Amino acid sequence: MSADIVSEGPVYSPETAGYEEELAAYQTGFRQQPEMVVGATGPDDVRAAVRLAARRGLPLAVQATGHGLPGDRIGGVLVTTKRMRGVDIDHVRGIARIQAGTPWEDVIRKAARHGMAPLSGSAVGVGAVGYTLEGGIGLLARTYGFAADRITAAEIVTADGELRHVTAESDPDLFWALRGAGANFGVVTSLDVELVGQPRIYGGGLYFTEQHVPDALHAWLDWTVGLGEETTSSIGLVPFPDKPAVPAPVRGRYTAHIRIVHTGSASQGAEVVEPLGVIGPCALNTLTEMPYTDADAIYRDPPTPMAYYGTNVLVDALDSAAAKRILELTGPDTGLNCVVQINHLGGALARQSGTASAVGHRDARYAVRVLTRLSPGAGSAAVAAARADHERVFEVFGYRVLGIAPNFLLGGPVTVDQVRACYDEKDYARLVELKAAYDPENLFRGYHNIPPPSAGVR
């Protein structure tokens, strides 16, 4: 099939040397088997791949540089965008133009030269474009809101193989859909996003080991109530491995890791954090004033590839009883090899208008995430067991569950019901209509695929 496409970048089939290397990703728990992989170097290569897939009636997915994988695991055409790496900063307008395969570290570094920062996530190796298209709940979220709402323009190859420049003025419906559900409507080759004037932050982590974990969780929850939007935080309940890369005070120990980013002054940040002192002895305290270029040190996300399955729910409230039950279900005595992370939402996330983009559930107050580590190449039984463990945790919240955050769906196959839960009901209906208009054959199979009515899925 590779003879049917003209591409400046490499083209691979399962029989071609380099095929497996091209497919290699951060996620190692699931195997992909596309019929063709196109290593795109620019929009023309993407157009060629889209036209070939459409001509042959094959699904097409995109793999950039993030923590997830494309939607379809078997067959079809996969476009890898890691060669499309570049950032241009318009410092007068405060806009970054980001190419499709660019990781956040490139954007952060270039924006910092102009005293600005992007609304990036906790890991600098994640692809900026895919992250932003799915909403983007980042380090500065409660102060500045969703990353998707900062998109001002997009270059996208649609199902007809044409490259479009999409703005709110040129194509308001498609522009709305791209900001929150972008991979369903084409291959985005670049994004223009607004930066913020936040060159420095006060942030870091507070680590509490086994006996203080319950107190840390309850104190953090109490602390978040009424917290100003200058502070964005989360808590991770983490069984740290006994490895040299882990800080010695928490190496091999079950730990509550409170992560904090404050956008005001260092003195204000220290004052805001002071109430957490009631928890007890802190095994490690990394709070300090820092340039935004050092913010990757706050979460210390593992940089090396691994196998995992992760899901989440968005809830409108989280009380002490629910927190206690989470520990009972996932703590060190359960034998589960999972990480729980709870993100405090609200602030600017709730203040932003929901009519400007497809991002859903803006009234959520917490995102509760569960991630289970798997063996490389884990089979369906391991995924099913992890999913069952996660569902038991989410049952704790009952009617308080509002939906799901697409950024935090990681790993195995995503169901139509999960995708539907990522959006408000009316917005999902509108997205289905737009999918039918722009991609009626369901060519684009993003990880969070919204099928058109013609696909027979309701």
Side-chain angles (χ1 to χ4, degrees):
M1 193 194 324
S2 60
D4 297 337
I5 184 172
V6 177
S7 170
E8 291 188 13
V11 179
Y12 303 92
S13 67
E15 299 79 26
T16 306
Y19 174 84
E20 294 292 343
E21 290 79 3
E22 188 69 15
L23 291 178
Y26 185 88
Q27 167 66 269
T28 64
F30 303 87
R31 176 176 170 77
Q32 302 176 86
Q33 295 177 292
E35 296 176 39
M36 175 188 286
V37 185
V38 179
T41 62
D44 286 346
D45 289 350
V46 174
R47 292 177 66 199
V50 169
R51 288 177 175 179
L52 174 67
R55 187 166 65 246
R56 291 183 168 266
L58 297 171
L60 182 143
V62 180
Q63 179 174 304
T65 53
H67 284 178
L69 285 177
D72 276 24
R73 300 286 188 263
I74 299 176
V77 177
L78 178 68
V79 177
T80 58
T81 62
K82 58 188 175 184
R83 295 170 182 83
M84 298 171 63
R85 182 168 175 169
V87 185
D88 293 311
I89 305 292
D90 182 339
H91 68 277
V92 176
R93 297 170 56 224
I95 299 290
R97 175 161 294 179
I98 308 170
Q99 302 304 313
T102 307
W104 276 124
E105 58 188 333
D106 292 4
V107 187
I108 292 168
R109 185 179 66 255
K110 288 199 171 184
R113 297 173 186 171
H114 304 282
M116 293 181 284
L119 299 189
S120 54
S122 61
V124 297
V126 166
V129 168
Y131 168 95
T132 302
L133 291 173
E134 292 180 352
I137 301 173
L139 296 177
L140 307 174
R142 282 178 42 81
T143 304
Y144 297 109
F146 290 99
D149 288 336
R150 298 283 174 157
I151 297 173
T152 62
E155 299 279 355
I156 180 173
V157 177
T158 46
D160 56 7
E162 296 300 319
L163 180 66
R164 300 177 182 228
H165 181 76
V166 178
T167 67
E169 292 73 31
S170 69
D171 197 333
D173 285 335
L174 183 56
F175 182 73
W176 173 84
L178 290 177
R179 303 191 338 155
N184 283 281
F185 301 94
V187 181
V188 172
T189 60
S190 70
L191 285 181
D192 289 6
V193 300
E194 294 176 335
L195 302 171
V196 298
Q198 191 69 51
R200 301 188 67 81
I201 56 173
Y202 176 81
L206 299 172
Y207 298 74
F208 300 90
T209 50
E210 293 87 356
Q211 68 270 33
H212 300 295
V213 167
D215 289 340
L217 177 55
H218 293 300
W220 177 80
L221 278 175
D222 290 343
W223 177 70
T224 61
V225 177
L227 193 64
E229 62 188 47
E230 296 84 7
T231 305
T232 302
S233 70
S234 71
I235 186 169
L237 307 176
V238 187
F240 278 112
D242 188 4
K243 294 184 177 181
V246 178
V250 295
R251 191 176 300 159
R253 305 188 69 173
Y254 187 78
T255 303
H257 180 196
I258 299 175
R259 300 82 170 247
I260 296 166
V261 177
H262 182 79
T263 55
S265 68
S267 60
Q268 291 170 339
E271 184 177 345
V272 168
V273 173
E274 188 176 1
L276 294 175
V278 301
I279 297 170
C282 183
L284 183 64
N285 181 341
T286 65
L287 287 170
T288 187
E289 184 181 18
M290 66 179 75
Y292 193 73
T293 50
D294 290 346
D296 187 49
I298 294 173
Y299 278 68
R300 298 180 60 93
D301 289 327
T304 53
M306 64 178 63
Y308 52 91
Y309 174 73
T311 51
N312 73 95
V313 291
L314 298 169
V315 298
D316 63 3
L318 179 56
D319 58 24
S320 294
K324 179 181 178 181
R325 186 61 180 147
I326 290 172
L327 280 175
E328 291 173 348
L329 291 169
T330 66
D333 297 332
T334 65
L336 298 183
N337 186 25
C338 67
V339 175
V340 175
Q341 178 171 308
I342 306 173
N343 290 70
H344 182 213
L345 307 178
L349 295 167
R351 286 194 295 104
Q352 289 176 312
S353 170
T355 62
S357 75
V359 175
H361 311 301
R362 294 169 182 264
D363 52 346
R365 286 296 173 264
Y366 299 92
V368 182
R369 307 168 56 185
V370 186
L371 185 147
T372 297
R373 294 167 178 157
L374 304 173
S375 300
S380 58
V383 175
R387 183 179 287 121
D389 292 336
H390 299 183
E391 288 302 321
R392 279 192 288 275
V393 176
F394 300 148
E395 286 172 1
V396 169
F397 301 103
Y399 69 93
R400 298 228 175 252
V401 174
L402 303 178
I404 292 172
N407 282 118
F408 303 147
L409 278 175
L410 302 167
V414 175
T415 68
V416 173
D417 286 343
Q418 285 178 309
V419 175
R420 190 191 301 269
C422 290
Y423 305 98
D424 296 326
E425 186 175 351
K426 290 183 178 179
D427 287 347
Y428 185 80
R430 183 181 176 187
L431 288 168
V432 170
E433 292 177 359
L434 291 172
K435 180 74 170 180
Y438 286 98
D439 184 20
E441 301 302 320
N442 200 22
L443 173 68
F444 300 111
R445 305 290 180 87
Y447 189 50
H448 311 124
N449 180 237
I450 298 172
S454 59
V457 181
R458 297 292 187 270

